[in-house]
Amino acid sequence: KRKQMLFSRIIFVFAFLPIVLAVYYGLFLKNRTWQNITLTVASLFFYAWGEPKFVLIMIFSIIMNWLFALGVEKWRNNKKISRLMVALAVTCNLGILFIFKYLNFTLQNINNLGISVSVTSIALPIGISFFTFQAMSYVIDVYRGKVKVQKDLLAFASYVTLFPQLIAGPIVRYEDISKQ
């Protein structure tokens, strides 16, 4: 099993970061789409370095939240449906967090009460709280009208996966970097 790629590791400092910067600034200086592709692919690679299977959870989260935000925007004039979209987004995001962070804890406490329940062997994905709350805050900000919905899935994915803050935060608001 490989170790997580950290900013202080030699492989990051002398290989990963220089390659990403060279591609981002060198090859695609004026093309935003290719810059976003570069950042998204590099960020997914960075995240997958330690445990590749968790990339699927992140991709699911990205697509799910992007679709919820599109739904909020589509039904903006219908408060009931737009609120329902936000409620579903929050419920799904908190459900993902619950399963990966708190399910075993909950099952162990149920067992402590004398009820026999099998404890799972679900591993905790690195940075799941950061990318989940970041994506969820985007949907809420779209609902509140603080940001315009991002119709480009790739641009939204590059926002959620951005490797410099992916595993250690902080949670970055979409409105702070949407123009970048």
Side-chain angles (χ1 to χ4, degrees), residues 40-111:
T40 303
V41 169
S43 296
L44 289 172
F45 178 81
F46 175 84
Y47 187 76
W49 185 264
E51 196 62 60
K53 66 184 176 187
F54 293 137
V55 170
L56 296 176
I57 295 163
M58 181 185 289
I59 290 170
F60 172 78
S61 176
I62 290 166
I63 293 169
M64 175 188 73
N65 284 288
W66 180 70
L67 290 172
F68 277 127
L70 289 175
V72 166
E73 182 63 27
K74 180 177 180 177
W75 290 293
R76 179 164 298 285
N77 295 328
N78 186 329
K79 284 290 186 196
K80 283 185 180 181
I81 295 178
S82 62
R83 279 189 201 141
L84 176 64
M85 297 302 286
V86 172
L88 286 171
V90 170
T91 302
C92 289
N93 280 293
L94 294 179
I96 290 169
L97 282 178
F98 177 80
I99 289 168
F100 287 99
K101 290 190 84 166
Y102 302 109
L103 181 60
N104 282 334
F105 173 76
T106 302
L107 294 176
Q108 288 170 350
N109 283 313
I110 290 171
N111 284 335

Side-chain angles (χ1 to χ4, degrees), residues 10 14 20-21 39 41 92 94 101 103 111-112 127-128 146 154-157 162 166 171:
I10 290 175
F14 293 109
V20 171
L21 291 174
L39 285 179
V41 169
C92 289
L94 294 179
K101 290 190 84 166
L103 181 60
N111 284 335
N112 290 341
I128 190 168
K146 288 179 136 186
L154 180 62
F156 179 66
L162 189 62
L166 181 60
I171 295 172

Side-chain angles (χ1 to χ4, degrees), residues 163-180:
F163 71 85
Q165 55 80 44
L166 181 60
I167 59 172
I171 295 172
V172 178
R173 302 299 292 246
Y174 184 74
E175 67 184 315
D176 295 335
I177 65 165
S178 63
K179 290 179 177 66
Q180 299 171 19

